[in-house]
Amino acid sequence: MHRTRSLGSIVFLDLRDRAGVLQATCDPRFTPLDVIAVAGRLGAETVVEVDGVVAVRPAEMVNRELVTGTIELQVTALRIVGPAVTPAIPVARGKDEKLAAEELRLKHRILDLRRPELQANLILRHRLLQVARQLMTSHGFLEIETPILTKTTPEGARDYLVPSRVHPGEFYALPQSPQIYKQLLMVAGFDRYFQIARCFRDEDLRADRQPEFAQIDIECAFVTQEDVQVVVERVLTALWKEAGHDIATPFERIRWADAMERFGIDKPDLRYGFELENWTAHVQPDAASFVLDGVAAGGKLRGIRVANGATWSRKEVDALAAVAKAQGLGGLLWAKRTDAGWEGQGAKAFGAATMERIGGVSGDLLLAGVGADAVALPAMGQVRLELTRRPEHLPTIAHAFCWIVDFPLFELDAASGEHMPAHHPFTAPHPDDTHKLETAPWECRAMHYDAVYNGNELGSGSIRITDPAVQETIFRLLKVPADEIQRRFAFLLDGLAAGAPPHGGFALGFDRIAMLLAGSTSLRDVIAFPKTTAARALFEGAPSPVSERDLAALSLAVLVKEKS
Ligand code: ASP
């Protein structure tokens, strides 16, 4: 029972199920009086069974806003089958009534799930899952489930561990992805695999991440990178079609190094311009010494041109400068071009000769940063992102997909100062760089590709290492001790030594795709029972302490008892 309304002796019930709302009318002309009396007192969210006759509504009662607005159910009998306590949060809301606070809604998730918006999201999610399954099946892929209680599968996060009761002191790990298993399935001869896989990653709190999530996980043997990309493009085309959008393939392929140069980020939002420009060669001797010194030290001058930005206030430009500085850039230079010429601290720092070479037309705002690529490119990339978010900058297209290819094989982890795999340690080095694996490993590119949509990373994939010796080299470069390689990865290395076909694959973040296609901005809107950003399930109350007895059965003791 969504809501009731009384009009004299008539009671209108809005009944709701997953298909929508239907008006049931209790009228003394066809409804027994005792039924009307019960109907008048029904509390919201009570579950009822109603008998009646579906009838066309009188013309003056037609409700154009409701799909069922031309009909009503003329009630003859009504039974309360599921009485409801007063709901903690409203399900039926007035037009302008705001949603309750999210924490409260997560706590009362079943009520929130009754909201038509969330019902529509989960119905869409179901349809997308079926489309993915059909598409993969029609291309000859087999859906094969891999274990949840397993061994570590590194994807750059911490493992969730599950203690074994029967083997005290031993632990299973929940899979960060089915990566190793899907590779071993290739070795086992199932040359096309997919799975709607559950993955678990214990990461520090991050907005828009869920500790457990679903991905459309794919692996195939005897393929090139291009083959995998074609399959993924087909899946994405089918998913977007299901949500009512036609998209064009093939997607643009952009090399990682070019994406960084042009957009300062490896997941560029191609719906917008504002490409970064390299103005280093324009720098003339009359530039300020910090510009000259920066360039002499190997830094580059990276700039962005904003047409009609010359009218921006100082405050608006300062806000962009704050974004750049937060990324580690010393400062953001700016210059405005008016009919009177160039003005701004950037114009002074560059000097007339440099400005002349950079050029520009009246109305332009130029933004720039000097520095090493590792700092200046991402910082200017963030500035670009801010520009795309301004309301006057409308996207030129709705759906901008691309592939980012030729990623570096390793990246430097700022926190530890160590090299880490840019993807995961099973990614094959680029064939043109394999010879550098021993001499200059950190310069190697990888057979790793990401699919990007409107600035969102939809997924990653790679061609895999199939030579056990190369795999061992990678572990060694990552400083995994020999005994640990044996302990953690012997089953993979043995598998690769058993005759491994060349293979590669991909994983699409399914929750994110469902969120984007539902037009939502939170993963929690497309997951039935999600966790908060603090990895808590508020509805069921997990994680939760366990009793001393349960711990003892697992041969475990908790050292820290205070609640965090
Ligand atoms: N296992 C990878 C991931 O979860 C995807 C892949 O390489 O296929 O990101």
Side-chain angles (χ1 to χ4, degrees), residues 125-316:
R125 184 182 172 110
H126 159 81
R127 287 181 13 226
L128 297 173
L129 280 174
Q130 304 321 307
V131 163
R133 286 206 157 94
Q134 271 160 23
L135 192 282
M136 296 310 295
T137 305
S138 74
H139 282 68
F141 286 78
L142 299 174
E143 183 167 3
I144 301 177
E145 295 149 285
T146 52
I148 297 295
L149 291 179
T150 173
K151 220 174 158 73
T152 182
T153 348
E155 293 280 357
R158 279 175 198 276
D159 288 323
Y160 278 100
L161 297 175
V162 180
S164 160
R165 181 183 55 81
V166 283
H167 304 290
E170 295 184 34
F171 294 81
Y172 301 98
L174 303 184
Q176 291 185 36
S177 85
Q179 184 62 35
I180 296 182
Y181 286 102
K182 66 175 174 175
Q183 290 190 228
L184 292 174
L185 284 170
M186 296 305 107
V187 179
F190 296 98
D191 57 359
R192 289 176 173 214
Y193 142 97
F194 85 99
Q195 181 179 196
I196 313 292
R198 266 242 152 221
C199 305
F200 306 84
R201 296 184 194 175
D202 185 1
E203 286 176 301
D204 290 332
L205 312 186
R206 245 152 105 184
D208 201 25
R209 282 281 167 124
Q210 286 282 313
E212 69 177 288
F213 58 92
Q215 59 186 29
I216 304 175
D217 198 48
I218 300 172
E219 195 74 11
C220 27
F222 301 104
V223 285
T224 60
Q225 171 169 315
E226 182 65 26
D227 294 331
V228 180
Q229 288 171 330
V230 168
V231 171
V232 173
E233 285 178 355
R234 289 194 185 150
V235 178
L236 291 172
T237 304
L239 293 175
W240 259 248
K241 176 123 198 111
E242 184 64 21
H245 313 294
D246 286 318
I247 60 172
T249 57
F251 306 156
E252 183 180 355
R253 271 82 167 145
I254 305 176
R255 287 181 305 166
W256 177 87
D258 294 340
M260 293 307 292
E261 283 261 337
R262 290 170 58 193
F263 309 104
I265 196 166
D266 59 7
K267 45 177 182 173
D269 190 340
L270 299 183
R271 290 173 300 168
Y272 303 91
F274 306 117
E275 287 198 22
L276 274 53
E277 296 176 26
N278 183 353
W279 294 334
T280 319
H282 296 327
V283 175
Q284 297 300 300
D286 66 338
S289 56
F290 75 89
V291 176
L292 294 172
D293 293 349
V295 170
K300 304 227 167 65
L301 178 61
R302 305 280 180 183
I304 303 179
R305 234 170 255 277
V306 188
N308 305 317
T311 54
W312 290 11
S313 69
R314 187 58 201 270
K315 210 167 133 200
E316 286 170 295

Side-chain angles (χ1 to χ4, degrees), residues 109 113 122 125 524 526-530:
R109 186 63 171 175
L113 280 174
L122 290 187
R125 184 182 172 110
R524 296 182 290 278
V526 292
I527 297 174
F529 297 104

